[in-house]
Amino acid sequence: MKKKPRSLQPAAGRMQKRAQEARALPVEQQAAFYYCGGRSKTEFAAAVVAGESAALELALDVVAGELWLCPRDGARYARSIRAALRRACEAGLLNEAQKRMLLGIELRNLERLVLRGRHSAPGVLQQRAERRIPGQMQLLQRCFGEVPALTLDSENWPEIAAPRALLQKAAQQGWFSAASAERMAATDATLLGILVHAPDDVLPAAHWLSSRPNHPEETLCYFFGWKSFSHARWQVAPWGELGKECGFILAADGTFYCAVPEWDGYFGASR
């Protein structure tokens, strides 16, 4: 994932200072002070929705600071506060600086959903994130009048564990040998180099076509490609985002394709 944006650093610094101040209070008062300026969460959210300046500033710091300091927990702790900020924004109660900060927060949330929904292994959490992406884009449109372009190239996609079971399935279908499947499961960069430059040395002959397979653009596929010249990695991406990558695509049905742009597109088995 990309480095955390510097625009969140000031908020994180202010919240770190606030945490030090909170520790001087009785334990039962610390969370209310840190997150809500000493009010109950309901009272604080109401002040944010009403556009109270101090409440808006603290709310933005809470949400942005949590994204920086503890991204896994931030969404849970700040969910109701973020909802109040969105309502205040839709009501036109934020100034331009506050709107820019909230836009950065919401874009960060969209990025998190996209990485989980479109670039993580298929499963319950991935499907849940994918379902939430349209709602997040609609929210950006309502609050800010646009959905800024979100560019996440393959350097930003998370690295995942090799899909061993699917590799075994592909080997059983005859796409490559069981030995090659084991080497791919071990993320063998040497094998990746051979696959890219001399595929007939390790793949069955006459299995390459110059036509693009007819997978839907949103179909999630596993991708075996370069991390650096000496290191390989496994990632996940929708079929439609893999056209510019250099590596190998493993679809959920066990089919195996080469994506090497200088070879002019996708190649798959001739069956």
mmCIF file of all heavy atoms in Angstrom, residues 211-252:
data_model
loop_
_atom_site.group_PDB
_atom_site.id
_atom_site.type_symbol
_atom_site.label_atom_id
_atom_site.label_comp_id
_atom_site.label_asym_id
_atom_site.label_seq_id
_atom_site.Cartn_x
_atom_site.Cartn_y
_atom_site.Cartn_z
ATOM 1 N N SER A 211 -5.233 -14.329 -28.937
ATOM 2 C CA SER A 211 -6.545 -13.729 -28.703
ATOM 3 C C SER A 211 -6.798 -13.550 -27.217
ATOM 4 O O SER A 211 -6.329 -14.332 -26.390
ATOM 5 C CB SER A 211 -7.647 -14.615 -29.308
ATOM 6 O OG SER A 211 -7.599 -15.895 -28.717
ATOM 7 N N ARG A 212 -7.551 -12.521 -26.878
ATOM 8 C CA ARG A 212 -7.866 -12.225 -25.482
ATOM 9 C C ARG A 212 -9.008 -13.118 -25.007
ATOM 10 O O ARG A 212 -10.076 -13.140 -25.609
ATOM 11 C CB ARG A 212 -8.278 -10.753 -25.362
ATOM 12 C CG ARG A 212 -8.708 -10.337 -23.953
ATOM 13 C CD ARG A 212 -9.210 -8.906 -23.995
ATOM 14 N NE ARG A 212 -9.775 -8.506 -22.718
ATOM 15 C CZ ARG A 212 -9.094 -7.925 -21.734
ATOM 16 N NH1 ARG A 212 -7.810 -7.690 -21.899
ATOM 17 N NH2 ARG A 212 -9.674 -7.566 -20.613
ATOM 18 N N PRO A 213 -8.839 -13.852 -23.909
ATOM 19 C CA PRO A 213 -9.935 -14.671 -23.375
ATOM 20 C C PRO A 213 -11.135 -13.807 -22.992
ATOM 21 O O PRO A 213 -10.989 -12.631 -22.654
ATOM 22 C CB PRO A 213 -9.299 -15.323 -22.142
ATOM 23 C CG PRO A 213 -7.833 -15.308 -22.426
ATOM 24 C CD PRO A 213 -7.589 -14.044 -23.176
ATOM 25 N N ASN A 214 -12.300 -14.403 -23.003
ATOM 26 C CA ASN A 214 -13.537 -13.647 -22.812
ATOM 27 C C ASN A 214 -13.989 -13.669 -21.354
ATOM 28 O O ASN A 214 -15.121 -14.020 -21.051
ATOM 29 C CB ASN A 214 -14.629 -14.217 -23.720
ATOM 30 C CG ASN A 214 -15.852 -13.321 -23.756
ATOM 31 O OD1 ASN A 214 -15.739 -12.100 -23.600
ATOM 32 N ND2 ASN A 214 -17.006 -13.914 -23.959
ATOM 33 N N HIS A 215 -13.131 -13.259 -20.415
ATOM 34 C CA HIS A 215 -13.533 -13.130 -19.019
ATOM 35 C C HIS A 215 -14.194 -11.771 -18.813
ATOM 36 O O HIS A 215 -13.758 -10.772 -19.401
ATOM 37 C CB HIS A 215 -12.326 -13.222 -18.079
ATOM 38 C CG HIS A 215 -11.712 -14.583 -18.005
ATOM 39 N ND1 HIS A 215 -12.432 -15.720 -17.719
ATOM 40 C CD2 HIS A 215 -10.425 -14.990 -18.179
ATOM 41 C CE1 HIS A 215 -11.624 -16.764 -17.707
ATOM 42 N NE2 HIS A 215 -10.404 -16.354 -17.984
ATOM 43 N N PRO A 216 -15.224 -11.661 -17.984
ATOM 44 C CA PRO A 216 -15.757 -10.341 -17.632
ATOM 45 C C PRO A 216 -14.672 -9.476 -17.001
ATOM 46 O O PRO A 216 -13.802 -9.981 -16.286
ATOM 47 C CB PRO A 216 -16.871 -10.673 -16.626
ATOM 48 C CG PRO A 216 -17.259 -12.078 -16.944
ATOM 49 C CD PRO A 216 -16.000 -12.763 -17.370
ATOM 50 N N GLU A 217 -14.728 -8.175 -17.255
ATOM 51 C CA GLU A 217 -13.682 -7.265 -16.792
ATOM 52 C C GLU A 217 -13.493 -7.313 -15.276
ATOM 53 O O GLU A 217 -12.386 -7.133 -14.777
ATOM 54 C CB GLU A 217 -14.018 -5.828 -17.217
ATOM 55 C CG GLU A 217 -14.025 -5.601 -18.713
ATOM 56 C CD GLU A 217 -12.632 -5.630 -19.294
ATOM 57 O OE1 GLU A 217 -11.835 -4.749 -18.970
ATOM 58 O OE2 GLU A 217 -12.343 -6.569 -20.061
ATOM 59 N N GLU A 218 -14.586 -7.540 -14.519
ATOM 60 C CA GLU A 218 -14.500 -7.470 -13.064
ATOM 61 C C GLU A 218 -14.081 -8.805 -12.428
ATOM 62 O O GLU A 218 -13.934 -8.890 -11.199
ATOM 63 C CB GLU A 218 -15.839 -7.044 -12.475
ATOM 64 C CG GLU A 218 -16.984 -8.036 -12.637
ATOM 65 C CD GLU A 218 -17.690 -7.946 -13.979
ATOM 66 O OE1 GLU A 218 -17.195 -7.194 -14.869
ATOM 67 O OE2 GLU A 218 -18.732 -8.607 -14.149
ATOM 68 N N THR A 219 -13.851 -9.846 -13.234
ATOM 69 C CA THR A 219 -13.482 -11.151 -12.694
ATOM 70 C C THR A 219 -12.157 -11.074 -11.938
ATOM 71 O O THR A 219 -11.134 -10.683 -12.504
ATOM 72 C CB THR A 219 -13.357 -12.187 -13.822
ATOM 73 O OG1 THR A 219 -14.595 -12.261 -14.529
ATOM 74 C CG2 THR A 219 -13.007 -13.555 -13.263
ATOM 75 N N LEU A 220 -12.155 -11.460 -10.665
ATOM 76 C CA LEU A 220 -10.913 -11.443 -9.892
ATOM 77 C C LEU A 220 -10.027 -12.604 -10.319
ATOM 78 O O LEU A 220 -10.477 -13.739 -10.437
ATOM 79 C CB LEU A 220 -11.197 -11.540 -8.398
ATOM 80 C CG LEU A 220 -11.832 -10.328 -7.725
ATOM 81 C CD1 LEU A 220 -11.870 -10.533 -6.209
ATOM 82 C CD2 LEU A 220 -11.080 -9.044 -8.055
ATOM 83 N N CYS A 221 -8.746 -12.298 -10.547
ATOM 84 C CA CYS A 221 -7.767 -13.300 -10.938
ATOM 85 C C CYS A 221 -6.517 -13.158 -10.078
ATOM 86 O O CYS A 221 -6.205 -12.071 -9.586
ATOM 87 C CB CYS A 221 -7.373 -13.126 -12.408
ATOM 88 S SG CYS A 221 -8.722 -13.316 -13.586
ATOM 89 N N TYR A 222 -5.806 -14.262 -9.925
ATOM 90 C CA TYR A 222 -4.503 -14.214 -9.260
ATOM 91 C C TYR A 222 -3.446 -13.850 -10.296
ATOM 92 O O TYR A 222 -3.541 -14.242 -11.464
ATOM 93 C CB TYR A 222 -4.183 -15.561 -8.634
ATOM 94 C CG TYR A 222 -5.087 -15.900 -7.476
ATOM 95 C CD1 TYR A 222 -6.272 -16.602 -7.673
ATOM 96 C CD2 TYR A 222 -4.760 -15.515 -6.174
ATOM 97 C CE1 TYR A 222 -7.107 -16.914 -6.614
ATOM 98 C CE2 TYR A 222 -5.592 -15.820 -5.109
ATOM 99 C CZ TYR A 222 -6.759 -16.515 -5.340
ATOM 100 O OH TYR A 222 -7.591 -16.811 -4.294
ATOM 101 N N PHE A 223 -2.446 -13.110 -9.848
ATOM 102 C CA PHE A 223 -1.420 -12.637 -10.769
ATOM 103 C C PHE A 223 -0.037 -12.934 -10.216
ATOM 104 O O PHE A 223 0.293 -12.579 -9.080
ATOM 105 C CB PHE A 223 -1.576 -11.129 -11.004
ATOM 106 C CG PHE A 223 -0.613 -10.579 -12.016
ATOM 107 C CD1 PHE A 223 -0.759 -10.885 -13.359
ATOM 108 C CD2 PHE A 223 0.443 -9.763 -11.627
ATOM 109 C CE1 PHE A 223 0.136 -10.400 -14.299
ATOM 110 C CE2 PHE A 223 1.334 -9.263 -12.561
ATOM 111 C CZ PHE A 223 1.186 -9.587 -13.898
ATOM 112 N N PHE A 224 0.792 -13.600 -11.019
ATOM 113 C CA PHE A 224 2.162 -13.944 -10.666
ATOM 114 C C PHE A 224 3.083 -13.043 -11.481
ATOM 115 O O PHE A 224 3.180 -13.178 -12.695
ATOM 116 C CB PHE A 224 2.402 -15.422 -10.990
ATOM 117 C CG PHE A 224 3.760 -15.947 -10.601
ATOM 118 C CD1 PHE A 224 4.315 -15.671 -9.361
ATOM 119 C CD2 PHE A 224 4.460 -16.761 -11.478
ATOM 120 C CE1 PHE A 224 5.558 -16.187 -9.002
ATOM 121 C CE2 PHE A 224 5.702 -17.286 -11.127
ATOM 122 C CZ PHE A 224 6.255 -16.992 -9.883
ATOM 123 N N GLY A 225 3.708 -12.064 -10.813
ATOM 124 C CA GLY A 225 4.508 -11.090 -11.545
ATOM 125 C C GLY A 225 5.706 -10.632 -10.729
ATOM 126 O O GLY A 225 6.014 -11.157 -9.662
ATOM 127 N N TRP A 226 6.364 -9.605 -11.262
ATOM 128 C CA TRP A 226 7.606 -9.141 -10.665
ATOM 129 C C TRP A 226 7.366 -8.191 -9.496
ATOM 130 O O TRP A 226 6.494 -7.332 -9.546
ATOM 131 C CB TRP A 226 8.454 -8.402 -11.707
ATOM 132 C CG TRP A 226 8.873 -9.228 -12.871
ATOM 133 C CD1 TRP A 226 8.431 -9.124 -14.156
ATOM 134 C CD2 TRP A 226 9.818 -10.300 -12.866
ATOM 135 N NE1 TRP A 226 9.027 -10.062 -14.948
ATOM 136 C CE2 TRP A 226 9.900 -10.799 -14.185
ATOM 137 C CE3 TRP A 226 10.594 -10.891 -11.859
ATOM 138 C CZ2 TRP A 226 10.721 -11.854 -14.534
ATOM 139 C CZ3 TRP A 226 11.433 -11.944 -12.216
ATOM 140 C CH2 TRP A 226 11.488 -12.410 -13.531
ATOM 141 N N LYS A 227 8.183 -8.331 -8.459
ATOM 142 C CA LYS A 227 8.294 -7.325 -7.407
ATOM 143 C C LYS A 227 9.518 -6.473 -7.681
ATOM 144 O O LYS A 227 9.529 -5.269 -7.472
ATOM 145 C CB LYS A 227 8.410 -8.002 -6.040
ATOM 146 C CG LYS A 227 8.463 -7.026 -4.880
ATOM 147 C CD LYS A 227 8.442 -7.755 -3.551
ATOM 148 C CE LYS A 227 8.416 -6.784 -2.387
ATOM 149 N NZ LYS A 227 8.376 -7.522 -1.082
ATOM 150 N N SER A 228 10.559 -7.114 -8.146
ATOM 151 C CA SER A 228 11.780 -6.457 -8.622
ATOM 152 C C SER A 228 12.412 -7.433 -9.605
ATOM 153 O O SER A 228 11.863 -8.506 -9.876
ATOM 154 C CB SER A 228 12.731 -6.142 -7.460
ATOM 155 O OG SER A 228 13.251 -7.344 -6.910
ATOM 156 N N PHE A 229 13.556 -7.087 -10.143
ATOM 157 C CA PHE A 229 14.180 -7.973 -11.118
ATOM 158 C C PHE A 229 14.541 -9.333 -10.527
ATOM 159 O O PHE A 229 14.641 -10.317 -11.244
ATOM 160 C CB PHE A 229 15.436 -7.310 -11.697
ATOM 161 C CG PHE A 229 15.135 -6.185 -12.639
ATOM 162 C CD1 PHE A 229 15.530 -4.892 -12.349
ATOM 163 C CD2 PHE A 229 14.439 -6.412 -13.821
ATOM 164 C CE1 PHE A 229 15.240 -3.848 -13.206
ATOM 165 C CE2 PHE A 229 14.147 -5.382 -14.687
ATOM 166 C CZ PHE A 229 14.544 -4.088 -14.380
ATOM 167 N N SER A 230 14.727 -9.391 -9.235
ATOM 168 C CA SER A 230 15.137 -10.651 -8.608
ATOM 169 C C SER A 230 14.076 -11.259 -7.701
ATOM 170 O O SER A 230 14.310 -12.298 -7.100
ATOM 171 C CB SER A 230 16.427 -10.432 -7.804
ATOM 172 O OG SER A 230 16.235 -9.449 -6.804
ATOM 173 N N HIS A 231 12.916 -10.605 -7.597
ATOM 174 C CA HIS A 231 11.875 -11.109 -6.698
ATOM 175 C C HIS A 231 10.523 -11.134 -7.414
ATOM 176 O O HIS A 231 10.173 -10.213 -8.141
ATOM 177 C CB HIS A 231 11.763 -10.243 -5.442
ATOM 178 C CG HIS A 231 12.965 -10.322 -4.561
ATOM 179 N ND1 HIS A 231 14.080 -9.523 -4.738
ATOM 180 C CD2 HIS A 231 13.250 -11.124 -3.509
ATOM 181 C CE1 HIS A 231 14.980 -9.825 -3.825
ATOM 182 N NE2 HIS A 231 14.509 -10.787 -3.063
ATOM 183 N N ALA A 232 9.776 -12.200 -7.167
ATOM 184 C CA ALA A 232 8.424 -12.340 -7.724
ATOM 185 C C ALA A 232 7.404 -12.187 -6.605
ATOM 186 O O ALA A 232 7.748 -12.201 -5.422
ATOM 187 C CB ALA A 232 8.275 -13.691 -8.406
ATOM 188 N N ARG A 233 6.140 -12.055 -6.984
ATOM 189 C CA ARG A 233 5.082 -11.944 -5.977
ATOM 190 C C ARG A 233 3.750 -12.374 -6.580
ATOM 191 O O ARG A 233 3.554 -12.340 -7.801
ATOM 192 C CB ARG A 233 4.975 -10.517 -5.454
ATOM 193 C CG ARG A 233 4.588 -9.484 -6.499
ATOM 194 C CD ARG A 233 4.555 -8.100 -5.899
ATOM 195 N NE ARG A 233 4.460 -7.075 -6.937
ATOM 196 C CZ ARG A 233 4.568 -5.778 -6.703
ATOM 197 N NH1 ARG A 233 4.765 -5.345 -5.482
ATOM 198 N NH2 ARG A 233 4.472 -4.907 -7.675
ATOM 199 N N TRP A 234 2.826 -12.728 -5.705
ATOM 200 C CA TRP A 234 1.447 -13.019 -6.081
ATOM 201 C C TRP A 234 0.563 -11.861 -5.641
ATOM 202 O O TRP A 234 0.724 -11.326 -4.541
ATOM 203 C CB TRP A 234 0.962 -14.302 -5.411
ATOM 204 C CG TRP A 234 1.454 -15.545 -6.092
ATOM 205 C CD1 TRP A 234 2.541 -16.295 -5.762
ATOM 206 C CD2 TRP A 234 0.864 -16.181 -7.231
ATOM 207 N NE1 TRP A 234 2.675 -17.356 -6.618
ATOM 208 C CE2 TRP A 234 1.658 -17.310 -7.530
ATOM 209 C CE3 TRP A 234 -0.256 -15.903 -8.021
ATOM 210 C CZ2 TRP A 234 1.357 -18.168 -8.592
ATOM 211 C CZ3 TRP A 234 -0.552 -16.754 -9.074
ATOM 212 C CH2 TRP A 234 0.245 -17.874 -9.347
ATOM 213 N N GLN A 235 -0.377 -11.480 -6.510
ATOM 214 C CA GLN A 235 -1.339 -10.436 -6.207
ATOM 215 C C GLN A 235 -2.695 -10.836 -6.764
ATOM 216 O O GLN A 235 -2.821 -11.858 -7.446
ATOM 217 C CB GLN A 235 -0.889 -9.097 -6.814
ATOM 218 C CG GLN A 235 0.421 -8.564 -6.238
ATOM 219 C CD GLN A 235 0.942 -7.374 -7.021
ATOM 220 O OE1 GLN A 235 1.224 -7.449 -8.207
ATOM 221 N NE2 GLN A 235 1.090 -6.257 -6.333
ATOM 222 N N VAL A 236 -3.710 -10.037 -6.476
ATOM 223 C CA VAL A 236 -5.055 -10.249 -7.022
ATOM 224 C C VAL A 236 -5.497 -8.963 -7.698
ATOM 225 O O VAL A 236 -5.232 -7.863 -7.193
ATOM 226 C CB VAL A 236 -6.058 -10.624 -5.905
ATOM 227 C CG1 VAL A 236 -7.495 -10.578 -6.426
ATOM 228 C CG2 VAL A 236 -5.760 -12.010 -5.361
ATOM 229 N N ALA A 237 -6.164 -9.080 -8.828
ATOM 230 C CA ALA A 237 -6.697 -7.901 -9.518
ATOM 231 C C ALA A 237 -7.829 -8.333 -10.442
ATOM 232 O O ALA A 237 -7.879 -9.493 -10.873
ATOM 233 C CB ALA A 237 -5.604 -7.199 -10.330
ATOM 234 N N PRO A 238 -8.751 -7.421 -10.763
ATOM 235 C CA PRO A 238 -9.777 -7.743 -11.761
ATOM 236 C C PRO A 238 -9.117 -7.986 -13.119
ATOM 237 O O PRO A 238 -8.106 -7.361 -13.460
ATOM 238 C CB PRO A 238 -10.646 -6.475 -11.791
ATOM 239 C CG PRO A 238 -10.385 -5.801 -10.482
ATOM 240 C CD PRO A 238 -8.951 -6.088 -10.173
ATOM 241 N N TRP A 239 -9.710 -8.872 -13.888
ATOM 242 C CA TRP A 239 -9.190 -9.209 -15.220
ATOM 243 C C TRP A 239 -8.934 -7.954 -16.058
ATOM 244 O O TRP A 239 -7.914 -7.841 -16.727
ATOM 245 C CB TRP A 239 -10.188 -10.125 -15.922
ATOM 246 C CG TRP A 239 -9.880 -10.416 -17.352
ATOM 247 C CD1 TRP A 239 -10.443 -9.837 -18.448
ATOM 248 C CD2 TRP A 239 -8.919 -11.354 -17.843
ATOM 249 N NE1 TRP A 239 -9.898 -10.361 -19.598
ATOM 250 C CE2 TRP A 239 -8.970 -11.295 -19.253
ATOM 251 C CE3 TRP A 239 -8.038 -12.237 -17.224
ATOM 252 C CZ2 TRP A 239 -8.150 -12.090 -20.055
ATOM 253 C CZ3 TRP A 239 -7.230 -13.030 -18.035
ATOM 254 C CH2 TRP A 239 -7.291 -12.952 -19.432
ATOM 255 N N GLY A 240 -9.851 -6.986 -15.973
ATOM 256 C CA GLY A 240 -9.721 -5.795 -16.801
ATOM 257 C C GLY A 240 -8.554 -4.899 -16.443
ATOM 258 O O GLY A 240 -8.198 -4.008 -17.219
ATOM 259 N N GLU A 241 -7.924 -5.096 -15.264
ATOM 260 C CA GLU A 241 -6.788 -4.265 -14.858
ATOM 261 C C GLU A 241 -5.447 -4.913 -15.140
ATOM 262 O O GLU A 241 -4.399 -4.333 -14.838
ATOM 263 C CB GLU A 241 -6.891 -3.933 -13.364
ATOM 264 C CG GLU A 241 -8.090 -3.068 -13.015
ATOM 265 C CD GLU A 241 -8.103 -2.682 -11.548
ATOM 266 O OE1 GLU A 241 -7.016 -2.676 -10.925
ATOM 267 O OE2 GLU A 241 -9.190 -2.393 -11.027
ATOM 268 N N LEU A 242 -5.455 -6.111 -15.730
ATOM 269 C CA LEU A 242 -4.203 -6.844 -15.894
ATOM 270 C C LEU A 242 -3.590 -6.714 -17.286
ATOM 271 O O LEU A 242 -2.538 -7.290 -17.548
ATOM 272 C CB LEU A 242 -4.434 -8.324 -15.569
ATOM 273 C CG LEU A 242 -4.671 -8.608 -14.084
ATOM 274 C CD1 LEU A 242 -5.150 -10.040 -13.877
ATOM 275 C CD2 LEU A 242 -3.405 -8.355 -13.282
ATOM 276 N N GLY A 243 -4.201 -5.933 -18.151
ATOM 277 C CA GLY A 243 -3.719 -5.842 -19.525
ATOM 278 C C GLY A 243 -2.358 -5.195 -19.683
ATOM 279 O O GLY A 243 -1.655 -5.452 -20.655
ATOM 280 N N LYS A 244 -1.948 -4.346 -18.719
ATOM 281 C CA LYS A 244 -0.667 -3.646 -18.844
ATOM 282 C C LYS A 244 0.418 -4.267 -17.977
ATOM 283 O O LYS A 244 1.522 -3.731 -17.879
ATOM 284 C CB LYS A 244 -0.844 -2.177 -18.466
ATOM 285 C CG LYS A 244 -1.786 -1.418 -19.394
ATOM 286 C CD LYS A 244 -1.905 0.043 -18.986
ATOM 287 C CE LYS A 244 -2.852 0.804 -19.907
ATOM 288 N NZ LYS A 244 -2.985 2.224 -19.508
ATOM 289 N N GLU A 245 0.104 -5.378 -17.331
ATOM 290 C CA GLU A 245 1.068 -6.010 -16.443
ATOM 291 C C GLU A 245 1.895 -7.061 -17.178
ATOM 292 O O GLU A 245 1.482 -7.607 -18.196
ATOM 293 C CB GLU A 245 0.340 -6.656 -15.257
ATOM 294 C CG GLU A 245 -0.504 -5.693 -14.446
ATOM 295 C CD GLU A 245 0.311 -4.531 -13.895
ATOM 296 O OE1 GLU A 245 1.444 -4.750 -13.451
ATOM 297 O OE2 GLU A 245 -0.202 -3.391 -13.922
ATOM 298 N N CYS A 246 3.047 -7.343 -16.628
ATOM 299 C CA CYS A 246 3.928 -8.362 -17.201
ATOM 300 C C CYS A 246 4.007 -9.514 -16.217
ATOM 301 O O CYS A 246 4.582 -9.376 -15.122
ATOM 302 C CB CYS A 246 5.312 -7.778 -17.461
ATOM 303 S SG CYS A 246 6.492 -8.983 -18.128
ATOM 304 N N GLY A 247 3.399 -10.629 -16.567
ATOM 305 C CA GLY A 247 3.389 -11.767 -15.667
ATOM 306 C C GLY A 247 2.378 -12.797 -16.110
ATOM 307 O O GLY A 247 2.046 -12.876 -17.297
ATOM 308 N N PHE A 248 1.826 -13.559 -15.151
ATOM 309 C CA PHE A 248 0.935 -14.663 -15.481
ATOM 310 C C PHE A 248 -0.333 -14.605 -14.658
ATOM 311 O O PHE A 248 -0.306 -14.327 -13.464
ATOM 312 C CB PHE A 248 1.664 -15.995 -15.307
ATOM 313 C CG PHE A 248 2.678 -16.200 -16.391
ATOM 314 C CD1 PHE A 248 3.918 -15.577 -16.323
ATOM 315 C CD2 PHE A 248 2.375 -16.954 -17.507
ATOM 316 C CE1 PHE A 248 4.833 -15.712 -17.351
ATOM 317 C CE2 PHE A 248 3.285 -17.095 -18.536
ATOM 318 C CZ PHE A 248 4.523 -16.478 -18.464
ATOM 319 N N ILE A 249 -1.452 -14.841 -15.326
ATOM 320 C CA ILE A 249 -2.771 -14.728 -14.734
ATOM 321 C C ILE A 249 -3.340 -16.124 -14.514
ATOM 322 O O ILE A 249 -3.361 -16.952 -15.430
ATOM 323 C CB ILE A 249 -3.709 -13.931 -15.654
ATOM 324 C CG1 ILE A 249 -3.129 -12.538 -15.924
ATOM 325 C CG2 ILE A 249 -5.106 -13.829 -15.055
ATOM 326 C CD1 ILE A 249 -3.821 -11.801 -17.061
ATOM 327 N N LEU A 250 -3.805 -16.358 -13.296
ATOM 328 C CA LEU A 250 -4.439 -17.632 -12.945
ATOM 329 C C LEU A 250 -5.886 -17.343 -12.582
ATOM 330 O O LEU A 250 -6.167 -16.711 -11.564
ATOM 331 C CB LEU A 250 -3.697 -18.282 -11.774
ATOM 332 C CG LEU A 250 -4.163 -19.661 -11.311
ATOM 333 C CD1 LEU A 250 -4.046 -20.690 -12.441
ATOM 334 C CD2 LEU A 250 -3.340 -20.109 -10.104
ATOM 335 N N ALA A 251 -6.820 -17.763 -13.448
ATOM 336 C CA ALA A 251 -8.237 -17.501 -13.211
ATOM 337 C C ALA A 251 -8.818 -18.536 -12.248
ATOM 338 O O ALA A 251 -8.238 -19.599 -12.020
ATOM 339 C CB ALA A 251 -9.000 -17.516 -14.531
ATOM 340 N N ALA A 252 -9.989 -18.222 -11.703
ATOM 341 C CA ALA A 252 -10.603 -19.080 -10.687
ATOM 342 C C ALA A 252 -10.989 -20.448 -11.229
ATOM 343 O O ALA A 252 -11.135 -21.401 -10.461
ATOM 344 C CB ALA A 252 -11.828 -18.383 -10.104
#
